[in-house]
Coordinates of all heavy atoms in Angstrom, one line a residue:
N95 N 105.1 105.6 93.9 CA 104.8 106.4 92.7 C 103.7 107.4 93.2 O 102.8 107.0 94.0 CB 104.2 105.6 91.6 CG 105.4 105.0 90.8 OD1 106.2 105.7 90.3 ND2 105.5 103.7 90.8
Q113 N 114.8 103.6 102.1 CA 114.4 102.5 103.0 C 115.6 101.8 103.5 O 116.0 100.7 103.0 CB 113.4 101.5 102.3 CG 112.8 100.5 103.2 CD 111.9 99.6 102.5 OE1 112.1 99.2 101.4 NE2 110.8 99.2 103.2
L115 N 119.0 102.4 106.8 CA 119.4 103.2 107.9 C 120.0 104.5 107.3 O 120.7 104.5 106.3 CB 120.5 102.5 108.7 CG 120.0 101.4 109.7 CD1 121.2 100.7 110.3 CD2 119.1 102.0 110.7
T120 N 120.6 108.7 103.1 CA 121.5 107.7 102.5 C 121.4 107.7 101.0 O 122.3 107.2 100.3 CB 121.2 106.4 103.1 OG1 121.5 106.5 104.5 CG2 122.1 105.3 102.5
H150 N 117.2 131.5 118.1 CA 117.3 130.4 119.0 C 117.7 129.1 118.3 O 118.3 128.2 119.0 CB 115.9 130.2 119.7 CG 115.5 131.3 120.6 ND1 116.0 131.4 121.9 CD2 114.8 132.4 120.3 CE1 115.5 132.5 122.4 NE2 114.8 133.1 121.5
A165 N 137.4 117.9 98.3 CA 138.3 116.7 98.0 C 139.7 117.1 97.5 O 140.7 116.5 97.8 CB 137.6 115.8 97.0
V188 N 132.4 122.3 99.7 CA 132.1 122.8 98.4 C 132.7 121.8 97.4 O 133.5 121.0 97.8 CB 132.7 124.3 98.1 CG1 132.0 125.3 99.0 CG2 134.2 124.3 98.3
D196 N 131.5 125.9 86.7 CA 131.5 126.6 87.9 C 131.9 128.1 87.8 O 131.3 129.0 88.3 CB 132.5 125.9 88.9 CG 132.1 124.4 89.2 OD1 131.2 123.9 88.5 OD2 132.7 123.8 90.0
S197 N 133.0 128.3 87.1 CA 133.5 129.7 87.0 C 132.6 130.5 86.1 O 132.4 131.7 86.3 CB 134.9 129.7 86.4 OG 134.9 129.0 85.2
S203 N 127.2 135.6 87.6 CA 126.4 136.2 88.7 C 127.1 137.5 89.2 O 126.5 138.5 89.5 CB 126.1 135.3 89.8 OG 127.3 134.9 90.4
T292 N 106.9 98.4 124.2 CA 106.4 99.5 124.9 C 107.6 100.4 125.3 O 108.6 99.9 125.8 CB 105.6 99.1 126.1 OG1 104.5 98.4 125.6 CG2 105.1 100.3 126.9
E296 N 108.5 107.8 125.8 CA 107.9 108.3 124.5 C 108.2 107.4 123.3 O 109.2 106.8 123.2 CB 108.5 109.7 124.2 CG 107.9 110.8 124.9 CD 108.4 112.2 124.4 OE1 108.9 112.2 123.3 OE2 108.3 113.1 125.2
R337 N 97.6 115.7 105.3 CA 97.3 116.8 104.4 C 98.4 117.8 104.4 O 99.4 117.7 105.1 CB 96.0 117.4 104.9 CG 94.9 116.4 105.1 CD 93.6 116.8 104.4 NE 92.7 115.6 104.4 CZ 91.5 115.6 105.0 NH1 91.1 116.6 105.7 NH2 90.7 114.5 105.0
D341 N 105.5 120.1 98.0 CA 106.8 119.6 97.3 C 107.3 120.6 96.3 O 106.5 121.5 95.9 CB 106.5 118.3 96.6 CG 107.7 117.5 96.1 OD1 108.8 117.9 96.6 OD2 107.6 116.6 95.3
L371 N 135.7 105.6 88.6 CA 135.4 105.0 89.9 C 136.7 104.5 90.6 O 136.9 104.7 91.8 CB 134.5 103.8 89.6 CG 133.9 103.2 90.9 CD1 133.1 104.2 91.7 CD2 132.9 102.0 90.5
G424 N 126.4 118.0 82.2 CA 126.2 116.9 81.3 C 124.7 116.7 81.2 O 123.9 117.4 81.8
F439 N 126.4 118.0 76.6 CA 125.2 118.7 77.1 C 125.4 119.4 78.5 O 126.3 119.1 79.2 CB 124.0 117.8 77.2 CG 123.6 117.1 75.9 CD1 124.3 116.0 75.5 CD2 122.8 117.8 75.1 CE1 124.0 115.4 74.3 CE2 122.5 117.2 73.8 CZ 123.1 116.1 73.4
S459 N 94.4 101.3 102.0 CA 93.7 100.1 102.7 C 94.2 100.2 104.2 O 95.0 101.0 104.5 CB 94.1 98.8 102.1 OG 95.4 98.4 102.6
A467 N 98.4 106.3 99.0 CA 98.2 107.2 97.8 C 99.0 108.5 98.1 O 98.7 109.2 99.1 CB 96.8 107.4 97.6
N474 N 100.0 122.3 90.4 CA 98.6 122.5 90.4 C 98.1 123.9 90.4 O 97.0 124.3 89.9 CB 98.0 121.8 91.6 CG 97.7 120.4 91.3 OD1 97.7 119.9 90.2 ND2 97.3 119.6 92.4
E476 N 98.2 128.0 89.7 CA 98.6 128.9 88.6 C 99.9 129.7 89.0 O 100.7 130.0 88.2 CB 97.5 130.0 88.4 CG 97.7 130.9 87.3 CD 96.8 132.1 87.3 OE1 96.0 132.3 88.3 OE2 96.9 133.0 86.4
F477 N 100.0 129.9 90.3 CA 101.2 130.6 90.8 C 102.5 129.7 90.5 O 103.5 130.3 90.0 CB 101.2 130.9 92.3 CG 102.4 131.5 92.8 CD1 102.5 132.9 92.8 CD2 103.5 130.8 93.2 CE1 103.7 133.5 93.3 CE2 104.7 131.4 93.7 CZ 104.8 132.7 93.7
V483 N 107.7 128.9 84.8 CA 108.1 129.5 83.5 C 109.1 130.7 83.6 O 110.0 130.8 82.9 CB 106.7 130.0 82.8 CG1 107.0 130.9 81.6 CG2 105.9 128.8 82.4
K487 N 112.8 131.1 82.0 CA 113.2 132.3 81.2 C 114.4 132.9 81.9 O 115.4 133.4 81.2 CB 112.0 133.3 81.2 CG 110.9 132.9 80.3 CD 109.9 134.0 80.0 CE 109.1 134.5 81.1 NZ 108.0 135.4 80.7
N530 N 111.9 116.2 95.0 CA 112.3 115.2 96.1 C 112.2 115.9 97.4 O 112.9 115.4 98.4 CB 113.7 114.6 95.9 CG 113.7 113.7 94.7 OD1 112.9 112.8 94.6 ND2 114.6 114.0 93.8
A533 N 107.1 117.5 102.2 CA 107.1 117.8 103.6 C 105.7 118.3 104.1 O 104.8 118.5 103.2 CB 108.1 119.0 103.9
E558 N 98.9 111.3 124.5 CA 100.1 111.3 125.4 C 101.0 110.3 124.9 O 100.6 109.2 124.5 CB 99.6 111.0 126.8 CG 100.6 111.4 127.8 CD 100.1 111.1 129.2 OE1 99.1 111.7 129.6 OE2 100.6 110.1 129.9
Q577 N 117.1 118.9 103.6 CA 117.7 118.0 104.6 C 118.3 118.7 105.8 O 118.1 118.2 107.0 CB 118.7 117.0 104.0 CG 120.0 117.7 103.5 CD 121.1 116.7 103.2 OE1 121.1 115.6 103.8 NE2 122.0 117.0 102.3
E585 N 117.9 117.9 116.0 CA 118.7 118.3 117.1 C 117.9 119.1 118.2 O 118.1 118.9 119.4 CB 119.9 119.3 116.6 CG 121.0 118.6 115.9 CD 121.9 117.8 116.8 OE1 121.7 117.7 118.0 OE2 123.0 117.3 116.3

Side-chain angles (χ1 to χ4, degrees):
N95 280 299
Q113 187 178 39
L115 285 175
T120 298
H150 294 278
V188 294
D196 304 4
S197 58
S203 66
T292 297
E296 280 184 18
R337 306 230 169 115
D341 193 13
L371 190 55
F439 298 90
S459 85
N474 271 351
E476 184 196 4
F477 179 89
V483 169
K487 291 196 288 192
N530 293 306
E558 195 178 296
Q577 65 165 335
E585 285 284 9

